[in-house]
Amino acid sequence: YYYYEGSSLFMGDLNFDGVINVIDIVTMVNGILSNSFDPNVFEVADLNGDGVINVIDIVSLVNLIIS
């Protein structure tokens, strides 16, 4: 997992717990399948900044975690 400290929103931390891990991936997949994202979650889930949350963002999140 990827851990950071701070009070700002961080790309990829979809549940805002300060840790970027598989829970954030599950949250992203669930949001994509239900087609519903809170505006704050959308902001940190759109990892490539194209205005759409899709499989490319999932791959980016996985790469962020394993890098």
Side-chain angles (χ1 to χ4, degrees):
Y1 62 91
Y2 181 78
Y3 178 78
Y4 62 86
E5 293 186 27
S7 60
S8 300
L9 296 178
F10 285 90
M11 298 304 288
D13 185 14
L14 277 66
N15 63 348
F16 310 108
D17 66 351
V19 180
I20 300 173
N21 58 21
V22 70
I23 296 169
D24 299 299
I25 296 170
V26 171
T27 302
M28 185 180 288
V29 170
N30 287 339
I32 291 170
L33 292 176
S34 68
N35 198 27
S36 63
F37 283 97
D38 175 273
N40 288 329
V41 174
F42 189 93
E43 182 179 342
V44 298
D46 185 16
L47 294 173
N48 65 348
D50 66 353
V52 178
I53 301 172
N54 55 26
V55 69
I56 296 169
D57 298 296
I58 294 171
V59 170
S60 297
L61 183 55
V62 169
N63 287 335
L64 177 66
I65 292 169
I66 62 174
S67 64

